[in-house]
Amino acid sequence: VEQLTRESKFIAEYFLLHRDVTITIDGVDKLNIFGTVTCGDINIARTLLELGLVVFVDWSAPKDPSTSDSYRKAEKHAQEKRRKIWVDHAPVPKQVQSGGSHDKGATKETNITGTVVEVVNSMTITVRVSKADSNNAQKTVDRIITLSSIRAPRIVKQDEEVKYSHPTGRLTGEDKEKTEQDAKKKEEDDEEIKREFAIAQEAKEFMRNALIGKKVKCIFDYPRSFGNNKNQPPQVRLYWSVYLVEGSTEKNIAVELVRQGLARVVSHPEDELRATDYQDLVVSEKNAESAHKGIHSAVYRQQNVINLTPLPRGADASSGGGETKSSNLIAKCKQFFTFFQNKPRIDAIVDYVFAASRFKLSIPSQGCVIMFTLQGCIVDKPIKATEDIAAKPDISPFDKQFPPTSHGNKALHFTRDHVYQRKVQISVASLDNFGNFLGHMYINNKEFALTLIEQGHAKLHYKIAKKFQNFEIYKTAEEKARKQLKGLWETFDFEAEKQAMLAPVERQVVSEASASKGKSKDPFPIIVTDIRSGNTFSYQIQNEETSALNELSISLQNENFARHPHHAPKKGEIIAAQYTMDDLWYRAEVLSLVSQGKDLAFDYEVKYIDYGNREVLPHSRIRQLDQEFVDLMKPQAYDGKLVGVKTPEEDDAKDAIEGFKELVSGRTLYALEISTDNTAPKGTKGIQLTHNVILTDKDKDLGLELIANGYTRVDKRLKREDPLYALYHEAEEYARRERFGIWQYGHNPDSEEEREVERQLLR
C-alpha cells in the first residue's frame, strides 16, 4: 500500500507540479472541497484510475454524468488488466455491479421501490415492497430502511432520569451532597432532554406527514456493524438514501429533514462510505444553521400532551394512589367527552393499533391522547406468536409478534395497513367506565367498522348497530360477506350457530347444571368481580361473551331508564338496577323483599347477575327490563367457593376479605373446577349453583396463600386422601407457629360453642 501511495503521488506531481491547471469545484463535505483537476487534456483523476492506483467512489464523483461514466470505464479497464491494486481482482456478479463498481458487501438489493407503511422514528421507516418468491409468485415484504449520513434527535421518556438518557453520560441524578455546580449541570441536562424530545417528536411528525402511504425509491449506500459481544455475531444495519417519488420528480427526504433543522449531518472519515447526496446534505445543514432552524435554534416548540389513556390493568392495586389516579383520569375523560360529543367529526391521528377495533389516537386540536373503540362490530382478539420465527427471512418485527395466521391477527394487519399513523376522523358516541371513548371512525368519509364487516374481518353487533341510521347497510354488508365466505366466515360453523339459536335459554341452563359434574378439568381464565368472605366470591370467565359485556353496558345506559316509571318486581325477576356507587344501570335479579316503608314501597335485595355483587335498593332505583336484554346474553357472573378453605367469623372475617382482595385485585386468574353445589334455599324451586374451585395465579394456589398468611383455616370437611390435605395443613401449622392473622393469640376457635367456652375461661 505504501509503495502504491508513493507511486500515485509521483504520477500526480509529474503531471501537475509547477504547471497551470484548471480546477472545477464539484462538491464539499464538512471538512473538504472536492473537484476535478485538469492540465491541458489530462484529467488526473481519470489517469490514476486507468493506472489502477485509486478507487472510484460515488459520493465525491462529479455531477456531470458523462464525466462520472468515463471514471467508471477507466476503473473497469484497470480491473480487466489487473493493474496495481486490482492485481488479485475477481469479476463481480452483475446484480452487485448495478449499484456501483465497488462491492458494498452487505446486500444484493441496491435499489428498491415500495410504499411506506410505518415511520418508526425520524431516521427509520418501514417500506413494503413486492418480491418474487421461489415460484416466481409476487409477495409483499416489509423492509426496515434507515436513512444514511444523518443523525436525528432521539425520543427518550421524559420521566427517566437524565443519567440514563443524556448522551454525555454524566451522572446528574439526585444526590444529597450535590454541589451548586452539579445542580446547574442537571438543570442544563434536563432542559436539553426536553429540547431533544420536542425536536424528535417534530421530526417524526414531519416524516409521517411526508411519507406515510407514499411511494419511495431507496438506494443502498453502506452497511454498519454493531455489537462487540464475543458470544453473538455483530448486527449489521443497512443505510439508504430515500427519495419521495412524486410523478416524474424524486426528492431526497433526508435532505428535506436536514433543511428543516430536524437532523444533523454525520461527519464521515475520508475513506468511509456515505450517502449518495452527501454534498446536498452538508449544504442544507449550513443553510439551516444560518437560518437558526430546529435543532440549531435556542428556541423550541414544547408540546404539552394530555394523556387520557386508561391505566394498565392492575395498576390500581400495584401502585400507590392508583385509585385516585384512576378517578382523576375518568373525571378528565368526562370533561373531554362533553366537548367531543358536540362535534360531528374530529380530526385524529392513529398512534397505535391494539386490535382491529381498538386504537390509541392523538387529537391535535385538543392536544390529547385517547383510547378509542369502534362501535357496532365485534372482532377477534389478536394472538401473539408462541413459535420462534426470528430466524425466518423477510419477516418484519410486527409479523414476528402477530403473524397473520388467526382471524384476529389478519384483521389487525388489515387495520394497520389502512389506518396506522394516518389521519382519520372520529365521532364520539359514549364513554365507558374505564375512560375508553367509543364511536365511529371515518376513512375517506366511510365508516371503518363497515369496511371491516364488508371484508369479513368483523361481525355485526346487532344490539348496538340496530340504533344506527344506516343499520340496513351494515346488515347487508355482513350478509354479503357471509355468502362470499370472506375473512372469518371462511371457517365459520354455520350449523353450530343454527343449533344454538334454536335451543331455548332455559334448556341450556338445565343442561349445564346437569352436566357440571362431567366438565373438563382444564383450568380456565377468570376475573374475580366480588368477594363476600374469605372463601366465597363471584367471577367472570374470560371469553368472547365477557369481551362483549362492555357493549351491553353501553346499551343499558342508552335506554335512559331514569325516565321510565318505577317498578315493583317479584322475587326472582330480572330487572334493571341502578348501582349506588356509580349511578349506572345494570342487569340484576331480585333475591328478596327486605322491608316495607311508610309509603308501602318495598326495599329489595338484588344481585347484579353479570358481576355477582349484592346490595339493597329502594324501588326508585329499580326499573322493568325488556326481555331482549335478558335473552341477549346469559348471566356472566358465577358464584365460586375455594375448595378446602374455611373463612373465620366476626372481626377476623373482615381481615380475610381484605387479604383475599389483595391477592386477586386486577389480575387474571385461573380456576380449576372440582365440583358444583346447588345452594338454592330448601323448599324453593330452581337451581342456584356454587362452583367449588381451586384458584391459581402463575402456578400459585391462592387458597394456600390465604391459609399460610393466617387469613383463613383448613376446612374440616377436606378429606385426608385429598391431595390438598397435607399441603393445606402444613400451611396452617406454619401460620399458627408464626402467629399470623387469626393465630395471633395462638388457638383459634372453630365454632360458636368453642368461642363461648373461651369467653367463660377468660372471665
Side-chain angles (χ1 to χ4, degrees):
V1 175
E2 186 177 351
Q3 181 180 351
L4 293 176
T5 303
R6 288 198 302 268
E7 188 172 346
S8 59
K9 181 182 178 183
F10 171 78
I11 295 297
E13 289 177 344
Y14 177 80
F15 284 107
L16 302 180
L17 191 61
H18 302 307
R19 298 176 186 272
D20 292 333
V21 297
T22 302
I23 299 176
T24 304
I25 303 299
D26 294 314
V28 296
D29 67 7
K30 288 196 169 186
L31 300 174
N32 305 294
I33 298 176
F34 299 97
T36 302
V37 181
T38 57
C39 181
D41 296 333
I42 298 173
N43 184 321
I44 190 61
R46 188 187 301 115
T47 301
L48 292 172
L49 285 167
E50 288 175 346
L51 294 174
L53 293 171
V54 293
V55 176
F56 175 75
V57 289
D58 290 300
W59 52 265
S60 63
K63 295 294 183 182
D64 181 19
S66 60
T67 305
S68 297
D69 289 342
S70 68
Y71 284 7
R72 291 189 180 92
K73 290 178 181 179
E75 184 185 52
K76 186 176 181 181
H77 179 72
Q79 290 173 345
E80 291 172 350
K81 298 295 183 180
R82 299 198 175 186
R83 292 175 177 169
K84 303 301 181 182
I85 61 176
W86 305 110
V87 63
D88 296 323
H89 175 71
V92 180
K94 291 184 178 180
Q95 64 266 29
V96 178
Q97 290 179 350
S98 62
S101 58
H102 58 287
D103 182 15
K104 296 179 182 180
T107 179
K108 293 182 179 180
E109 294 177 301
T110 58
N111 191 325
I112 62 175
T113 301
T115 303
V116 178
V117 295
E118 180 182 5
V119 176
V120 181
N121 54 50
S122 53
M123 281 186 58
T124 308
I125 59 176
T126 302
V127 178
R128 181 161 297 167
V129 298
S130 296
K131 183 179 179 181
D133 59 15
S134 56
N135 298 324
N136 290 326
Q138 291 295 318
K139 67 174 184 177
T140 57
V141 178
D142 290 350
R143 297 291 302 272
I144 303 297
I145 302 295
T146 303
L147 302 182
S148 55
S149 295
I150 66 169
R151 183 178 293 112
R154 58 196 183 95
I155 297 177
V156 295
K157 295 180 180 179
Q158 297 203 58
D159 56 353
E160 290 180 357
E161 289 190 30
V162 179
K163 64 181 179 181
Y164 296 117
S165 56
H166 195 268
T168 62
R170 291 198 298 266
L171 293 176
T172 58
E174 295 294 336
D175 190 351
K176 293 182 179 179
E177 299 179 359
K178 185 165 42 184
T179 62
E180 185 177 344
Q181 184 178 4
D182 291 333
K184 185 177 180 181
K185 287 181 180 179
K186 183 181 186 307
E187 185 179 348
E188 292 174 354
D189 287 345
D190 286 343
E191 182 64 24
E192 181 64 19
I193 288 294
K194 293 179 182 178
R195 181 170 174 273
E196 290 270 321
F197 181 84
I199 296 174
Q201 291 280 42
E202 186 178 352
K204 184 178 180 180
E205 181 62 15
F206 174 84
M207 293 283 284
R208 190 198 65 77
N209 271 321
L211 297 181
I212 200 73
K214 303 289 183 62
K215 181 182 178 182
V216 294
K217 184 173 79 173
C218 308
I219 298 176
F220 175 66
D221 289 320
Y222 56 85
R224 288 286 185 272
S225 296
F226 298 91
N228 297 319
N229 192 338
K230 296 181 180 179
N231 299 326
Q232 295 180 352
Q235 295 182 351
V236 178
R237 185 178 298 171
L238 310 181
Y239 290 84
W240 306 71
S241 291
V242 177
Y243 297 87
L244 176 62
V245 179
E246 296 177 330
S248 58
T249 62
E250 296 177 355
K251 184 163 58 176
N252 190 318
I253 195 65
V255 173
E256 295 301 318
L257 199 64
V258 172
R259 183 174 291 140
Q260 298 299 323
L262 300 176
R264 298 184 186 275
V265 180
V266 175
S267 297
H268 292 280
E270 289 187 7
D271 58 344
E272 190 173 68
L273 296 173
R274 56 197 72 187
T276 304
D277 296 332
Y278 187 77
Q279 298 169 16
D280 292 339
L281 289 172
V282 173
V283 173
S284 298
E285 185 180 41
K286 294 292 184 184
N287 293 336
E289 288 176 351
S290 301
H292 300 289
K293 286 185 176 181
I295 205 169
H296 310 292
S297 172
V299 181
Y300 64 93
R301 183 174 57 190
Q302 188 171 359
Q303 299 179 352
N304 295 318
V305 179
I306 303 172
N307 187 0
L308 299 178
T309 56
L311 295 172
R313 179 175 290 178
D316 287 5
S318 61
S319 61
E323 186 175 347
T324 304
K325 292 179 183 178
S326 180
S327 59
N328 290 341
L329 176 66
I330 299 299
K332 286 184 180 179
C333 288
K334 287 181 179 178
Q335 293 174 3
F336 278 86
F337 172 66
T338 304
F339 173 80
F340 291 155
Q341 207 174 23
N342 295 328
K343 293 284 185 180
R345 298 279 181 93
I346 303 166
D347 293 328
I349 298 171
V350 180
D351 286 343
Y352 196 81
V353 181
F354 295 96
S357 62
R358 192 162 181 264
F359 314 91
K360 180 181 177 182
L361 303 181
S362 292
I363 313 293
S365 61
Q366 301 303 312
C368 65
V369 179
I370 67 171
M371 292 295 293
F372 185 81
T373 302
L374 295 180
Q375 278 190 321
C377 66
I378 302 173
V379 300
D380 290 346
K381 186 178 179 180
I383 302 173
K384 285 189 177 182
T386 55
E387 178 191 1
D388 184 14
I389 58 174
K392 291 187 177 181
D394 296 332
I395 300 292
S396 69
F398 176 75
D399 286 343
K400 291 177 184 178
Q401 190 175 17
F402 295 100
T405 51
S406 66
H407 293 307
N409 289 13
K410 290 177 182 177
L412 176 61
H413 279 257
F414 177 85
T415 302
R416 275 178 59 94
D417 292 346
H418 286 78
V419 305
Y420 182 45
Q421 291 190 332
R422 286 169 169 79
K423 291 182 178 179
V424 298
Q425 288 185 315
I426 62 170
S427 61
V428 177
S430 58
L431 176 71
D432 68 12
N433 299 337
F434 304 101
N436 296 295
F437 294 86
L438 298 97
H440 298 286
M441 177 183 288
Y442 301 89
I443 311 294
N444 298 325
N445 288 325
K446 182 177 180 181
E447 295 176 24
F448 188 66
L450 180 60
T451 302
L452 290 174
I453 292 173
E454 288 175 344
Q455 298 301 320
H457 292 306
K459 297 178 184 177
L460 182 61
H461 194 300
Y462 279 86
K463 184 62 183 176
I464 299 297
K466 207 171 176 181
K467 300 179 181 179
F468 295 169
Q469 292 182 351
N470 56 348
F471 169 68
E472 291 299 325
I473 297 177
Y474 273 81
K475 187 177 177 182
T476 304
E478 185 184 55
E479 290 173 353
K480 187 176 180 181
R482 286 168 66 102
K483 289 179 181 179
Q484 296 177 354
L485 299 180
K486 284 186 175 181
L488 62 88
W489 304 113
E490 183 179 359
T491 56
F492 188 75
D493 192 343
F494 293 98
E495 185 62 28
E497 180 189 46
K498 182 179 178 182
Q499 294 298 327
M501 291 175 63
L502 294 175
V505 176
E506 293 81 7
R507 190 181 304 168
Q508 287 183 2
V509 173
V510 173
S511 64
E512 287 175 7
S514 62
S516 61
K517 295 291 183 181
K519 286 185 178 179
S520 170
K521 295 299 182 182
D522 293 331
F524 48 91
I526 69 163
I527 287 184
V528 175
T529 55
D530 182 54
I531 295 175
R532 292 181 291 282
S533 70
N535 67 345
T536 57
F537 57 97
S538 295
Y539 62 92
Q540 293 176 347
I541 300 175
Q542 296 300 286
N543 53 27
E544 293 181 358
E545 287 189 338
T546 52
S547 63
L549 185 59
N550 192 41
E551 297 285 354
L552 173 61
S553 177
I554 294 169
S555 301
L556 289 171
Q557 312 317 315
N558 292 336
E559 286 296 313
N560 199 3
F561 284 110
R563 296 186 178 181
H564 291 199
H566 295 180
H567 177 59
K570 298 179 181 179
K571 183 179 178 181
E573 183 179 347
I574 304 299
I575 58 166
Q578 190 178 28
Y579 187 39
T580 54
M581 295 298 291
D582 58 14
D583 290 333
L584 298 179
W585 295 90
Y586 301 95
R587 300 193 303 175
E589 178 186 0
V590 178
L591 298 181
S592 63
L593 280 63
V594 178
S595 63
Q596 188 175 20
K598 294 180 181 179
D599 57 352
L600 301 180
F602 284 91
D603 289 341
Y604 301 90
E605 182 186 7
V606 300
K607 171 187 173 183
Y608 296 96
I609 61 176
D610 295 316
Y611 301 93
N613 52 320
R614 284 95 160 152
E615 70 173 347
V616 177
L617 295 177
H619 76 289
S620 60
R621 285 182 172 267
I622 291 176
R623 300 291 187 273
Q624 189 172 12
L625 186 64
D626 292 343
Q627 188 63 32
E628 61 175 334
F629 283 105
V630 179
D631 297 337
L632 181 64
M633 185 185 300
K634 68 179 183 180
Q636 295 301 299
Y638 298 81
D639 288 338
K641 185 177 182 180
L642 293 178
V643 171
V645 177
K646 183 175 178 60
T647 188
E649 298 176 4
E650 296 184 354
D651 294 339
D652 292 330
K654 296 180 180 179
D655 294 334
I657 292 174
E658 292 302 318
F660 199 175
K661 286 182 178 179
E662 190 175 328
L663 287 174
V664 304
S665 179
R667 300 179 185 175
T668 298
L669 309 172
Y670 283 85
L672 178 64
E673 184 172 307
I674 304 302
S675 62
T676 55
D677 296 328
N678 183 7
T679 55
K682 292 182 179 180
T684 61
K685 296 181 180 180
I687 297 174
Q688 185 175 327
L689 293 180
T690 295
H691 302 262
N692 300 313
V693 299
I694 298 173
L695 285 187
T696 59
D697 178 21
K698 298 179 181 178
D699 298 328
K700 182 172 64 176
D701 185 342
L702 298 189
L704 182 68
E705 289 290 313
L706 288 171
I707 295 172
N709 285 287
Y711 292 123
T712 60
R713 61 177 303 164
V714 180
D715 191 344
K716 286 186 175 182
R717 292 174 294 179
L718 190 64
K719 297 180 180 179
R720 186 175 294 272
E721 60 267 24
D722 194 297
L724 298 176
Y725 183 88
L727 192 63
Y728 280 14
H729 275 278
E730 183 180 349
E732 186 180 85
E733 184 58 33
Y734 167 75
R736 189 198 302 264
R737 186 172 60 249
E738 298 296 329
R739 299 294 179 94
F740 289 157
I742 60 177
W743 309 107
Q744 58 182 323
Y745 303 118
H747 172 70
N748 182 266
D750 195 41
S751 68
E752 189 60 29
E753 292 181 11
E754 292 181 38
R755 289 178 186 275
E756 185 59 30
V757 172
E758 185 183 50
R759 293 190 193 102
Q760 292 177 4
L761 292 173
L762 289 174
R763 293 194 193 103

